[in-house]
Amino acid sequence: MSALIAEFVSESLENLERVDQDFVALEKRPGDREILARIFRAVHTLKGSCGFLGFSRLEALAHSAESLLGMLRDGTRPLTPAITTALLQTLDGIRASLAAITSTGQEGEVSHAAVIARLDALRDGREAPAAPAAPAAPAAPVITREPEPPPAPPQPAIADPAEALRRAL
């Protein structure tokens, strides 16, 4: 990984830590425009860096989040639980892309289409289905077994060996 990309990842992770702290503060002071402005600037910086470095998928995610955050910051859209959830999913998506960039130097095949659609719908005042979380590891296969048959009921003891033989046949 080039020094420039390493610096981008490092700076982005630092910004995400501050954004996480800002979201905690936002829970205590919903709609605080100063906090929203800090979150907006962090996402705006990420978007610009992505454009410069050619990380187009991550840039598209940051652009959608930035548009919605601008409306929140300006007071034209109120912060709702659905918007908060979508923005937190955005942070998860950013982290997934940064992890791919860290390991390969490229953004990989991480798709943010569902989160972007959710952000855009919320920005436009439309409710959209919840986007899935960042890509997860494949689920482990489920192994099922046939149920064991119940044990046979106990047979009464037979004292006569000839009688036991007749019953067995």
Side-chain angles (χ1 to χ4, degrees):
M1 176 169 37
S2 76
L4 183 60
I5 293 175
E7 180 63 27
F8 161 72
V9 169
S10 176
E11 180 182 311
S12 296
L13 290 173
E14 287 176 19
N15 283 338
L16 285 176
E17 285 181 35
R18 283 191 293 269
V19 168
D20 284 338
Q21 293 168 1
D22 283 336
F23 269 106
V24 170
L26 205 55
E27 287 179 341
K28 296 174 185 162
R29 296 188 318 263
D32 185 314
R33 289 194 182 162
E34 183 180 319
I35 296 170
L36 290 166
R38 283 195 307 262
I39 296 170
F40 174 89
R41 282 191 302 276
V43 172
H44 175 76
T45 299
L46 177 82
K47 181 191 81 166
S49 298
C50 288
F52 177 75
L53 295 170
F55 298 134
S56 59
R57 287 184 188 95
L58 187 50
E59 180 183 17
L61 176 62
H63 176 73
S64 289
E66 178 189 42
S67 295
L68 181 56
L69 283 163
M71 296 178 83
L72 296 172
R73 177 198 61 190
D74 298 341
T76 58
R77 173 95 41 231
L79 183 64
T80 65
I83 289 174
T84 300
T85 298
L87 291 172
L88 292 173
Q89 289 171 337
T90 299
L91 299 180
D92 291 341
I94 292 170
R95 283 187 181 87
S97 286
L98 292 174
I101 293 167
T102 298
S103 64
T104 66
Q106 301 187 8
E107 70 182 324
E109 298 300 316
V110 177
S111 173
H112 305 295
V115 176
I116 290 170
R118 177 105 171 118
L119 290 167
D120 292 348
L122 290 165
R123 179 198 64 221
D124 296 341
R126 297 178 283 118
E127 194 60 33
V142 177
I143 300 172
T144 58
R145 296 185 204 188
E146 292 293 320
E148 296 201 17
Q155 297 290 327
I158 302 172
D160 180 9
E163 179 65 22
L165 184 59
R166 274 193 302 268
R167 286 190 184 180
L169 296 176

